[in-house]
Amino acid sequence: MSQENRLLQGGIFSSLVRFALPFLAAALLQQLYGTVDTLTVGRLSANAAAGLSAISTGAQIIYMVTTLVMGLATGGTVLIGQYVGSGQQENVKRAIGTMFPVFGIAAVVLSALLVGFSGGIVRLMQVPEAAAPAARQYLIICGAGMIFVTGYNMVSGILRGLGDSKTPMLLVAIACVINIIGDIVLVGPMQMGAAGAAVATIVAQAVSFLSSLFILKRRKDFPLTFRRSSFALKKEQARLLLKLGVPVALQDFCIGISFALISAFVNRLGLEQSACVGVASRISTIAMLAATAFMSAIAAMTAQNMGGGQPGRAVQSMKWGMVISAVLSFAACAVVECFPAAVLGFFTDDAGVIAQGVLYLRSNMLDVALVPFVFCMNGFFSGCGHTGFSMANNLISTFGVRVAGTLLISLLPGATMFHIGLAAPAASAAQIVIEVVYLASGRWRRGDMFSQQKLDEVTA
């Protein structure tokens, strides 16, 4: 049975787990080479605190920009999954062909903006003076390589929409190995610091993207032929891609802006506080990997099942995703809460950074216990085509709670990193309340993206 059929038939628990495990493995590998950036700079760089601060700020900006691409890729996953579920093979080809020119344009624009405005971004982020040159170098190098980052995420979105979660895992594994080798050489013996970490990351992404094109071209079951005429922008598919992807892209971009603002607030407190947020954020992100993986798997599985007229199966996939990811996230949260200094010490031996990081993790890790519910419902609503709701909910909680809370707390006399860390779990709690109300309302069933009338119009 093909993977796409397994998503539409068979046991829900086993189908979801089989599909989600490669997502989880890919997420682990992706975080591994991101973690190696932080680890090598923190331990091998001549000025660890400045290097960590530069990577913390630079990586936050790059992540914020990359989320635009990832949002569009999610739109592609949902659109392709919808067509697969409803048996529209010709529209699957049109959607894939349309994604190539759309993502190519996005890559050129994003690259130009990052390289051209790197200095202004560093000043806007209030990066400590000792870390500012390295942060600017990091942004320029990563910005110049956005074509590879964009290409990798596009191909991954296409494959996941088709029901293939294993190939994206292979691509990340390739990038991971190359990035680790590059980090060790460039940050260690060559002492390139944050710039070396950026070069290693972009080279790894380039090899991964080029490998993905090679793999697609050789796959006999890939629905698109590699001819120039195949990569034409189709108006209807482009409209639907943007309708599904833009809300997710804007949502994630604005969330990235919120974290950039939070970093700017914290940067004003000092170099150690700035560095500790970079390290602690890496730790909490790793702890959230299970929830992140199941969110992506649920979005693809929901898209196919809603397209195939099986909403009950989609709901059950969301519920099972919550249970599994919650168990894994709770375990990760418990480990970090019990041994925060030891976990931080794995990344840096700077006593000041570790001390500030312990305070931050004590409160911020509560967010890890809540995100399985937030992420799995987000994946479900996105798969249903309700990306607009997910965007509105995320923006309200992010700016209304997380950013506003961080700003207010940072201005209070005697506020510590522990108090600043409370803003994230408060925002997630607000999201859960809104999502539960929306789920109970049943409005997710009325998405026009999956109505038969709309499918008929698109086919025509």
Side-chain angles (χ1 to χ4, degrees):
M1 186 184 294
S2 68
Q3 178 62 62
E4 63 189 53
N5 286 337
R6 285 199 295 268
L7 297 183
L8 293 165
Q9 304 170 19
I12 296 173
F13 175 84
S14 58
S15 296
L16 178 63
V17 171
R18 278 197 301 265
F19 190 55
L21 282 178
F23 278 93
L24 181 57
L28 283 168
L29 289 169
Q30 207 158 22
Q31 284 304 315
L32 176 60
Y33 73 74
T35 300
V36 171
D37 284 352
T38 304
L39 181 62
T40 51
V41 171
R43 290 199 166 274
L44 301 180
S45 181
N47 189 343
L52 287 172
S53 178
I55 284 188
S56 174
T57 302
Q60 185 63 63
I61 296 299
I62 296 301
Y63 172 76
M64 180 177 67
V65 174
T66 303
T67 53
L68 287 171
V69 180
M70 294 170 66
L72 283 178
T74 298
T77 296
V78 173
L79 181 60
I80 293 169
Q82 168 195 358
Y83 287 144
V84 169
S86 56
Q88 300 181 61
Q89 292 304 313
E90 188 58 35
N91 279 332
V92 170
K93 296 179 183 179
R94 292 177 182 175
I96 294 174
T98 296
M99 289 179 70
F100 276 83
V102 169
F103 278 76
I105 294 170
V108 172
V109 172
L110 292 176
S111 183
L113 291 174
L114 280 170
V115 174
F117 293 96
S118 59
I121 293 171
V122 170
R123 290 190 294 272
L124 185 64
M125 289 293 294
Q126 303 181 64
V127 177
E129 186 177 349
R136 187 171 183 272
Q137 286 182 326
Y138 189 93
L139 286 175
I140 291 174
I141 295 169
C142 289
M146 279 305 295
I147 182 67
F148 305 118
V149 177
T150 303
Y152 161 75
N153 281 283
M154 177 196 68
V155 173
S156 295
I158 291 171
L159 291 171
R160 287 163 178 165
L162 293 171
D164 179 4
S165 57
K166 293 181 181 178
T167 303
M169 176 187 68
L170 172 63
L171 298 175
V172 174
I174 293 171
C176 182
V177 172
I178 295 173
N179 192 83
I180 290 174
I181 295 172
D183 274 336
I184 292 173
V185 174
L186 298 177
V187 179
M190 297 187 69
Q191 282 295 299
M192 291 177 63
V199 170
T201 297
I202 291 305
V203 170
Q205 290 282 0
V207 174
S208 182
F209 173 54
L210 295 176
S211 299
S212 74
L213 295 180
F214 177 77
I215 291 171
L216 291 183
K217 193 171 182 179
R218 292 181 62 86
R219 282 182 61 155
K220 294 181 179 180
D221 61 339
F222 189 64
L224 203 68
T225 57
F226 275 74
R227 299 174 183 171
R228 181 178 298 180
S229 59
S230 299
F231 304 106
L233 194 152
K234 302 295 183 182
K235 182 178 179 181
E236 185 62 21
Q237 277 65 41
R239 183 185 71 81
L240 293 173
L241 172 64
L242 295 176
K243 181 174 182 179
L244 288 167
V246 167
V248 180
L250 289 177
Q251 161 196 307
D252 292 342
F253 180 71
C254 289
I255 290 174
I257 290 178
S258 75
F259 281 113
L261 289 172
I262 290 171
S263 295
F265 299 154
V266 175
N267 284 344
R268 295 183 306 171
L269 301 178
L271 188 61
E272 291 178 345
Q273 287 84 347
S274 173
C276 94
V277 169
V279 177
S281 296
R282 179 69 64 186
I283 293 168
S284 61
T285 300
I286 294 172
M288 294 178 184
L289 286 181
T292 302
F294 275 93
M295 174 180 67
S296 299
I298 289 167
M301 191 166 179
T302 297
Q304 288 198 14
N305 280 280
M306 293 297 286
Q310 301 185 85
R313 185 177 175 85
V315 172
Q316 288 302 313
S317 70
M318 175 191 66
K319 291 181 178 179
W320 275 117
M322 285 182 183
V323 172
I324 301 168
S325 58
V327 170
L328 297 174
S329 296
F330 290 173
C333 181
V335 170
V336 177
E337 286 284 4
C338 292
F339 310 102
V343 176
L344 287 161
F346 180 73
F347 294 91
T348 179
D349 55 7
D350 188 303
V353 173
I354 292 176
Q356 294 296 328
V358 168
L359 290 173
Y360 187 72
L361 283 176
R362 287 293 189 194
S363 55
N364 187 258
M365 285 302 293
L366 297 175
D367 193 39
V368 175
L370 297 176
V371 294
F373 308 102
V374 175
F375 286 9
C376 288
M377 282 191 279
N378 270 341
F380 173 74
F381 292 132
S382 294
C384 289
H386 288 246
T387 53
F389 163 74
S390 295
M391 177 186 71
N393 182 28
N394 275 284
L395 296 185
I396 290 171
S397 61
T398 297
F399 286 96
V401 181
R402 183 181 284 119
V403 174
T406 301
L407 175 60
L408 291 175
I409 293 171
S410 67
L411 295 176
L412 293 175
T416 67
M417 293 304 296
F418 174 84
H419 301 107
I420 290 175
L422 290 171
S428 292
Q431 279 186 271
I432 290 174
V433 172
I434 297 172
E435 287 176 329
V436 169
V437 171
Y438 193 79
L439 184 66
S441 73
R443 292 179 60 85
W444 54 272
R445 293 178 178 271
R446 300 196 285 273
D448 66 340
M449 289 303 302
F450 297 99
S451 68
Q452 189 59 49
Q453 179 182 358
K454 178 62 69 175
L455 291 178
D456 292 340
E457 290 175 2
V458 173
T459 305

